[in-house]
Amino acid sequence: MNKELIKQWGENTAYGAKCHFKSADLKRIWIKIFVIVNILFAIFSIMDLGFSDITKAFGIISLIASILILVNESKEDKNTIKRHMLTGDEYLNLHYELQELFYKDSVEESEFNSVSKKVKKMNKKEKPIINQYAKRKAKKAIEKKGEMKTWWKE
């Protein structure tokens, strides 16, 4: 019975880790895109190429990119990327511990209770919000790309 629960926890921790890693990656990418767009369009609007409508459009796009950066950064804590990575690492460490227990011939009650406490603690911990797109990418990475060994399906 403990093996079945270990498998369920293993699956949950695998997806938890991958979702947090993908959320961090996406947030990092979006911030870079917003900053690059902002810089490029600010440069184009400063250059004043003689096309006042185009110059105004570049200025408006630059302003929108700036607002999106501010909204994105104020929506969550400043260290969201770092928090996602740390949370992902915690899930991954717990996942490996569960995997080790799963492959043991017999699991001691004390080992099971120890990992059970860690799972409960992880579930209660405050974590950064996972992006829904990152969740889909994590699922694809695990199920289709084989980025993690799916030992819990054995």
Side-chain angles (χ1 to χ4, degrees), residues 56-98:
K56 285 179 188 176
F58 284 143
I60 290 170
I61 292 171
S62 178
L63 178 64
I64 291 170
S66 298
I67 291 169
L68 288 174
I69 291 170
L70 288 173
V71 168
N72 195 23
E73 286 302 302
S74 67
K75 201 166 45 170
E76 295 184 46
D77 292 339
K78 291 182 181 184
N79 292 322
T80 305
I81 294 171
K82 184 176 180 180
R83 288 182 55 220
H84 273 299
M85 294 302 290
L86 291 173
T87 303
D89 283 337
E90 286 181 59
Y91 270 119
L92 194 57
N93 289 334
L94 185 54
H95 176 77
Y96 289 145
E97 191 173 337
L98 289 162

